Each structure stands twice: as C-alpha cells, then as structure tokens.
Amino acid sequence: MSETVPMLDSLGALGAALRVQGSRVGVGELLAAHRALEAVDCCSREESRLALRAVLCSDRGDLSRFELAFAAVFGSGQVADDGNPLEELGTIARQALPRAAIPGSAAPAPGAAEESTAVPAAWSDVELLREKDFSHYTEAEMALARELIARLARRGPTRLSRRTRPVRRRRGHQPDLRRVLRASLRTGGDPVHRHWRAPRRRPRPVVLVCDVSGSMTPYARMLLQYLQASVAARRRVEAFAFGTRLTRITNELEGRDHDRALTRAAAAVSDFSGGTRIGAALAELNRVHGRRIGRGAVIVILSDGWDRGDPELLGAEMARLRRSAHRLVWLNPLAAHPDFEPLTRGMRAAVPHTDELLAGNSLASLEELASILEEI
C-alpha cells in the first residue's frame, strides 16, 4: 500500500502535465493507465513508458507532449548532458511535481524515508505562467505557453450576418415564410405552424500588427506565437510585422506546424531588432493593404510605442485607420507597470485614436484581449 499512494500521485502529476499542454486526459484515462501498469512488467522503465503512452495519447500531437511530461515527472532515465532538450523542462517541473518510483529515475538519497508524503499532483499553468512577464520566460516555459496561447487565439470577435438560420423562438426574429407555406400543405393550406429565422453570426475580420524592432525584442517572439496561433485557428485574420517597414506575414504563418510557420515569417521579415517607424508602417497599411483589410475589422497593434518617425504622421495615420476600423486596440508591454503613462511621442499621438490600451507582456494580458474581442 505504501508504494501505491506515491504511484497514484505520480500518475496524477503526469495527467496534469499533459493537460497543461493541451492533451485531453481525465479520470478514465488515469484509471486505464493504472490498469496498463498492472498488465506490464513495472520493473522495466521502457515497458512502463510504452504502456502509459498507449493509453494517454489519443492523437499524434500527444506523443511529443507525453515525452516531455514523462521526463518531467519520472526523470529522463539517464545522466543529462548539455544537449538534453528536457533538462530545462525537468528543472521547472521538479519545483511543483512529485518524482515517481518508476525504475530508471534517480535513486533516493541514503537514509531517506521509504514512505513519501502526499504532494498535490499538478502544476498550474495559471499559477506558473499567467502573470509572468514574457521577457522572463525560459525556452521550456515558451514551449509550455504555446498551448495556452493557442487556446486564447481561438477566441475572436463575431458579427451578425445578413444570412439567417432557422430558430425555434419568435423573440425579435423574422418569420420563415417558406417553411410556413411548406408546413401548411399538411393542414389543408392553413398556416397553423409558425417558423422563424434569425441572423447568423460570422467571424469579424481581425488585423494583427506586431512591432519587431529592437525595443520589442524581449516580447516579439511570444507575440509572434500569438499571431501564428490566431492565423491558424480562425478565418479572416491578417498578420503584419513592422520595424522600419511593414511586411505582410499572413501566408507565412498559415499551417499547423508552428515552428515552420515562424521560420518562414522570420525569413520574410528583414528588419528584426532594428529601428521603429510606426507612422510609415501604418501609412503603408492604410494605402497598400486597405482594400484587403476592408471596413469593420478589429485592428490590434502590438508595440511599445517607441517611434523614430514623425509623431504627426503617426497621429494622422491612426485617425485614418480608426475611421475604417470597428475597434482599435493597442497592446503595449510597458503598460503593465503600475506607474505607466503614455509619455513617448508615439504613444501621445496614438492614444487619442485608440479604443483600448492594454498590457501585452503576459498571458493574462492576452486573456484580457481575448475577452474584449469576444465582447465586441
């Protein structure tokens, strides 16, 4: 019985590590994992790993997540070297996850008690990463945050369409004359049964414009992940990057392969970590891509507002952009500081034309952006 409790805690920790990466692991899968360990030789680390992988992975994407979670909970089973990609993830996970007694993991220190105390078998994505500044993320934390960003990217604005759909309730809807006439054929031509239609909801266009200049380097990588997840998750999303010039990267960010999409975008943008000319970039957005953006889109600008260009040009282009947009939202990582005030020339010119000014430095700020987009 003393070995069962630590094992149950470790299986719970493994399930939590998979859930935080986006895998669907519930009580049924954990019970199946317990039965799978009983059916194999638990003295073999490889057999235990394969048995757990068979019952906890439901698609191809879960395989890589399982390997990361298994190494984080049970150890890598070998002496880590400088090239071990699981080393950082294991360091983070060991701060919150219990270690298990599967053979192959590190042996307990001499003189340690045989019975381990119960430890809460989870690490919370909200507790660990939600409020943490993007500039302080490690490589392993960026990988863990990828699934959380993908969930937020699925939340977007909608609008009422001219197309309608059948509904049951009458409240505020128009009558469906075609269905009423068709139903009256069964009642001798009398329209006894009433039918109604209501407008459909369609995705509202979203335009994401990300600053990749030198001052945004600590945040640009995570914000580009949000751009890629938004383009891959929803329709009618346009993505742009700018430093000294504007580059459309929507086509480069398409596809399910996150790493390849970001590699293509990095190759397309030639002014990473350079200067900033926000006014000139918005001028090109208005004149060159204005027809592609159209009217009624939600435009989100992700920048710290440090601009080397003319502030009057920036103010004029912001005013023009605001007239064609449904809502204009600005995400500034510097706005997370409690004493922040828009004192730079760029922000002073942009704020009068901005509907919302949010901090873009953490998952919490992206969650706030997602909530605003859903309410639009």
Side-chain angles (χ1 to χ4, degrees):
M1 184 64 181
S2 61
E3 297 180 358
T4 305
V5 175
M7 181 57 65
L8 291 177
D9 291 341
S10 301
L11 288 179
L14 181 63
L18 287 169
R19 283 194 297 272
V20 76
Q21 298 182 79
S23 300
R24 301 182 61 180
V25 178
V27 177
E29 286 77 9
L30 293 180
L31 293 176
H34 186 73
R35 292 193 296 268
L37 289 179
E38 293 179 348
V40 300
D41 182 12
C42 291
C43 296
S44 172
R45 175 185 174 83
E46 185 64 15
E47 289 190 16
S48 301
R49 185 183 66 84
L50 294 176
L52 292 175
R53 189 178 69 174
V55 298
L56 295 180
C57 296
S58 57
D59 56 36
R60 182 178 299 178
D62 289 338
L63 296 177
S64 59
R65 302 168 188 163
F66 174 82
E67 298 299 337
L68 289 174
F70 187 87
V73 177
F74 299 114
S76 60
Q78 58 185 359
V79 179
D81 54 10
D82 294 338
N84 186 1
L86 302 176
E87 182 177 358
E88 287 191 66
L89 179 60
T91 303
I92 297 171
R94 281 193 294 270
Q95 298 176 1
L97 295 176
R99 299 299 298 273
I102 283 186
S105 59
E114 296 183 358
E115 295 185 2
S116 60
T117 57
V119 179
W123 97 63
S124 171
D125 54 332
V126 177
E127 295 283 341
L128 183 63
L129 300 178
R130 185 174 181 273
E131 301 291 344
K132 189 171 184 178
D133 194 279
F134 286 152
S135 61
H136 300 153
Y137 272 29
T138 63
E139 293 291 333
E141 289 174 324
M142 289 182 182
L144 293 177
R146 182 179 301 175
E147 294 294 336
L148 304 178
I149 290 177
R151 297 179 204 172
L152 296 175
R154 299 186 189 105
R155 302 164 57 183
T158 59
R159 65 176 180 87
L160 290 177
S161 171
R162 295 181 180 180
R163 294 180 178 271
T164 58
R165 58 183 177 86
V167 293
R168 294 184 179 181
R169 296 185 178 183
R170 171 183 176 180
R171 191 176 304 169
H173 302 322
Q174 62 187 21
D176 190 348
L177 299 180
R178 181 177 297 179
R179 293 180 64 197
V180 170
L181 290 176
R182 188 185 301 117
S184 67
L185 298 178
R186 297 192 296 268
T187 57
D190 296 327
V192 176
H193 303 287
R194 299 182 180 183
H195 300 278
W196 308 90
R197 298 185 70 86
R200 295 177 181 270
R201 298 203 69 90
R202 298 184 58 188
R204 182 178 289 278
V206 176
V207 180
L208 302 171
V209 187
C210 184
D211 185 352
V212 295
S213 62
S215 60
M216 284 288 292
T217 300
Y219 303 96
R221 183 173 178 182
M222 295 301 297
L223 295 179
L224 284 175
Q225 285 193 23
Y226 179 74
L227 265 65
Q228 191 278 328
S230 299
V231 171
R234 301 198 311 272
R235 296 181 300 161
R236 308 193 70 181
V237 176
E238 288 286 340
F240 297 87
F242 73 90
T244 56
R245 63 181 64 88
L246 185 74
T247 306
R248 180 174 180 262
I249 54 175
T250 305
N251 295 335
E252 286 77 7
L253 294 180
E254 290 179 347
R256 296 183 178 181
D257 194 320
H258 172 274
D259 296 325
R260 288 185 179 179
L262 290 181
T263 301
R264 292 194 299 265
V269 179
S270 59
D271 54 348
F272 267 111
S273 301
T276 312
R277 297 173 59 197
I278 306 178
L282 295 184
E284 184 177 353
L285 180 67
N286 285 326
R287 289 162 177 78
V288 178
H289 303 281
R291 181 172 296 181
R292 175 180 286 112
I293 295 173
R295 299 185 65 87
V298 177
I299 300 179
V300 182
I301 301 177
L302 306 96
S303 173
D304 56 5
W306 288 96
D307 186 19
R308 294 184 179 180
D310 185 5
E312 295 183 359
L313 174 63
L314 175 57
E317 296 302 330
M318 284 289 294
R320 181 173 181 171
L321 192 62
R322 180 64 189 87
R323 288 194 294 269
S324 63
H326 178 71
R327 294 286 291 275
L328 185 55
V329 183
W330 192 296
L331 265 66
N332 188 337
L334 304 180
H337 196 278
D339 298 329
F340 170 78
E341 292 183 8
L343 300 179
T344 61
R345 296 189 307 168
M347 290 307 302
R348 282 187 294 179
V351 165
H353 311 286
T354 303
D355 294 309
E356 300 284 348
L357 178 60
L358 308 175
N361 69 316
S362 65
L363 290 175
S365 61
L366 294 183
E367 184 177 356
E368 186 179 1
L369 172 63
S371 300
I372 291 176
L373 294 180
E374 285 184 328
E375 294 173 358
I376 293 176

